[in-house]
């Protein structure tokens, strides 16, 4: 009997324990623990100060917006890249090239920029010459009568400046760029050096000639050097008919791009006076020379940035 009661007592106890565990044990206990945990977190939230709650909310928001911030960084990087490309295009004069072009009648006239004075210029003046050449290229590309533009004797500091600050120059179109001297590019009998010291006044442009513009920014340190070079080589020389049409309160020496643009304008308009007053900076105080008894006309003062002068 004792054995029967012992053997039958144990299963009953185990069953009771199992029922107790099943009914009020694991699931119920877990639920209670879960509620207790939730109420504990709530209690913890209630125990935080307003400043701590604000900080916690800020941290949660920061985590939630992680991907959004990443996308914004990508967008800003893309915008900066586009801006850099736009700035580079403006430096090369590409903005001018994008303007609508007029009816184009290419000219057979040759204009050569003599870049053989590199060693006579400081690097800052080389950079100014570089900018003037960029301007010449851009203006010729959108001119009504584009000329045959060439850069000669390119090398030294100028080429270094172009390689570093304007790498796109190697892709320039409708231009000849060479390290050769201009006397090797065209026959000497066809060359005419444009210099303000020449006693010869250019009345008209000869389409069979190659006109040379001295690429030198020197602030009057090498006065007359282009004229002397032309005489040494035994080539023709002349000056633009500036004094015949314009009176100025400054030197008659013009920047490379001004000489170039005046010739482009003359080819289009057929008038030296119109060409001069279309291109010359008003800061030079240009006044039209009376033609056929007409009264002189004064130009208004211009506050635009000065362009360096060249020989």
């Amino acid at each position: 009997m004792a054995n029967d009661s012992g053997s039958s007592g144990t299963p009953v106890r185990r069953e009771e324990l199992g029922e107790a565990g099943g009914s009020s044990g694991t699931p119920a206990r877990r639920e209670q623990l879960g509620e207790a945990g939730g109420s504990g977190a709530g209690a913890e939230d209630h125990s935080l100060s307003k400043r701590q709650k604000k900080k916690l909310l800020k941290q949660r928001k920061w985590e939630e917006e992680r991907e959004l911030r990443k996308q914004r960084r990508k967008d800003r990087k893309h915008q900066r890249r586009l801006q850099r490309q736009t700035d580079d295009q403006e430096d090369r004069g590409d903005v001018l090239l994008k303007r609508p072009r007029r009816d184009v009648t290419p000219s057979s006239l040759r204009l050569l920029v003599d870049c053989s004075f590199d060693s006579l210029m400081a690097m800052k003046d080389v950079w100014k010459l570089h900018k003037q050449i960029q301007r010449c290229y851009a203006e010729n590309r959108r001119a009504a009568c584009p000329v045959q533009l060439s850069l000669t004797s390119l090398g030294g500091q100028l080429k270094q400046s172009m390689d570093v600050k304007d790498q796109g120059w190697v892709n320039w179109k409708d231009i000849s760029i060479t390290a050769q001297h201009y006397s090797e590019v065209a026959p000497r009998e066809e060359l005419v050096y444009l210099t303000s010291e020449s006693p010869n006044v250019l009345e008209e442009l000869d389409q069979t000639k190659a006109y040379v513009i001295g690429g030198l920014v020197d602030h009057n340190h090498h006065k007359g050097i282009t004229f002397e070079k032309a005489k040494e080589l035994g080539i023709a020389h002349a000056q633009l008919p500036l004094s015949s049409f314009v009176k100025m309160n400054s030197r008659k020496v013009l920047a490379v791009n001004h000489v170039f643009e005046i010739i482009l304008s003359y080819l289009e308009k057929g008038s030296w006076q119109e060409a001069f007053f279309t291109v010359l900076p008003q800061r030079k105080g240009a006044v039209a020379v009376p033609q056929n008894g007409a009264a002189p006309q004064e130009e208004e003062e211009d506050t635009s940035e000065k362009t360096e002068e060249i020989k």
Side-chain angles (χ1 to χ4, degrees):
M1 292 292 291
N3 291 337
D4 292 341
S5 62
S7 60
S8 60
T10 302
V12 173
R13 181 57 179 170
R14 288 174 180 172
E15 184 179 354
E16 290 174 353
L17 290 173
E19 291 176 356
S23 61
S24 59
T26 305
R29 183 59 178 168
R30 287 175 182 171
E31 184 177 355
Q32 290 174 2
L33 289 174
E35 292 176 354
S39 62
E44 183 179 353
D45 287 343
H46 287 302
S47 66
L48 296 176
S49 65
K50 291 183 178 180
R51 187 173 182 179
Q52 291 173 327
K53 288 180 181 179
K54 186 176 181 180
K55 185 175 181 180
L56 181 60
L57 290 174
K58 186 177 181 180
Q59 179 67 21
R60 289 174 179 172
K61 185 177 181 181
W62 188 88
E63 293 291 343
E64 292 171 357
E65 295 179 350
R66 184 188 299 273
E67 291 299 322
L68 179 60
R69 288 195 307 276
K70 185 177 180 180
Q71 184 60 43
R72 286 175 178 172
R73 286 195 297 270
K74 289 182 179 179
D75 293 342
R76 286 196 298 268
K77 186 176 181 180
H78 180 65
Q79 290 297 327
R80 287 195 297 269
R81 186 183 300 111
L82 293 177
Q83 185 61 44
R84 284 195 299 270
Q85 292 175 353
T86 301
D87 292 342
D88 290 342
Q89 289 175 347
E90 290 177 353
D91 287 341
R92 293 195 304 270
D94 290 345
V95 173
L96 294 176
L97 303 184
K98 292 179 180 179
R99 298 177 186 175
R101 293 188 67 174
R102 298 163 287 183
D103 293 336
V104 176
T105 305
S107 171
S108 60
L109 189 76
R110 290 163 290 171
L111 280 180
L112 287 62
V113 179
D114 176 16
C115 304
S116 64
F117 304 101
D118 187 86
S119 62
L120 300 179
M121 292 184 287
M123 193 61 201
K124 64 177 182 179
D125 292 328
V126 171
W127 169 235
K128 291 172 184 176
L129 175 60
H130 177 192
K131 297 292 286 185
Q132 292 175 11
I133 291 173
Q134 285 179 323
R135 182 75 181 185
C136 292
Y137 170 73
E139 289 295 335
N140 196 50
R141 288 279 289 158
R142 69 185 188 98
C145 301
V147 299
Q148 309 301 310
L149 174 60
S150 297
L151 301 182
T152 63
S153 301
L154 180 65
Q157 298 179 102
L158 179 58
K159 185 176 184 300
Q160 179 184 355
S161 175
M162 295 173 69
D163 287 338
V164 173
K165 298 181 179 181
D166 185 13
Q167 297 178 2
W169 73 269
V170 295
N171 298 319
W172 283 1
K173 300 177 181 178
D174 302 323
I175 184 174
S176 173
I177 302 176
T178 178
Q180 290 182 305
H181 193 264
Y182 60 84
S183 61
E184 299 173 349
V185 174
R188 294 198 179 193
E189 62 272 14
E190 296 178 2
L191 293 169
V192 179
Y193 212 116
L194 298 177
T195 170
S196 61
E197 283 78 19
S198 174
N200 305 320
V201 178
L202 192 66
E203 300 294 342
E204 294 182 353
L205 294 173
D206 187 343
Q207 297 285 339
T208 66
K209 299 294 185 181
Y211 294 92
V212 184
I213 303 174
L216 173 63
V217 178
D218 72 335
H219 308 284
N220 208 28
H221 297 312
H222 301 281
K223 187 176 181 179
I225 189 172
T226 55
F227 181 46
E228 294 301 325
K229 289 288 186 181
K231 290 194 298 182
E232 288 176 9
L233 290 174
I235 64 174
H237 46 78
Q239 62 169 292
L240 297 180
L242 190 62
S243 300
S244 301
F245 298 93
V246 180
K247 287 183 179 179
M248 297 192 304
N249 57 12
S250 62
R251 295 186 302 154
K252 294 189 298 181
V253 180
L254 303 176
V256 170
N257 59 294
H258 288 158
V259 176
F260 187 86
E261 291 173 45
I262 287 170
I263 292 177
L264 287 180
S265 184
Y266 174 77
L267 290 172
E268 178 184 356
K269 303 175 186 298
S271 167
W272 283 116
Q273 188 172 53
E274 285 189 49
F276 288 135
F277 283 99
T278 298
V279 176
L280 286 178
Q282 294 179 350
R283 63 179 173 78
K284 286 185 172 290
V287 178
V289 173
Q291 304 292 319
N292 299 325
Q297 298 178 351
E298 295 187 0
E299 288 290 306
E300 297 178 356
E301 183 180 358
D302 181 25
T303 57
S304 62
E305 182 180 358
K306 294 183 178 180
T307 304
E308 292 296 332
E309 297 177 340
I310 58 98
K311 281 284 175 290

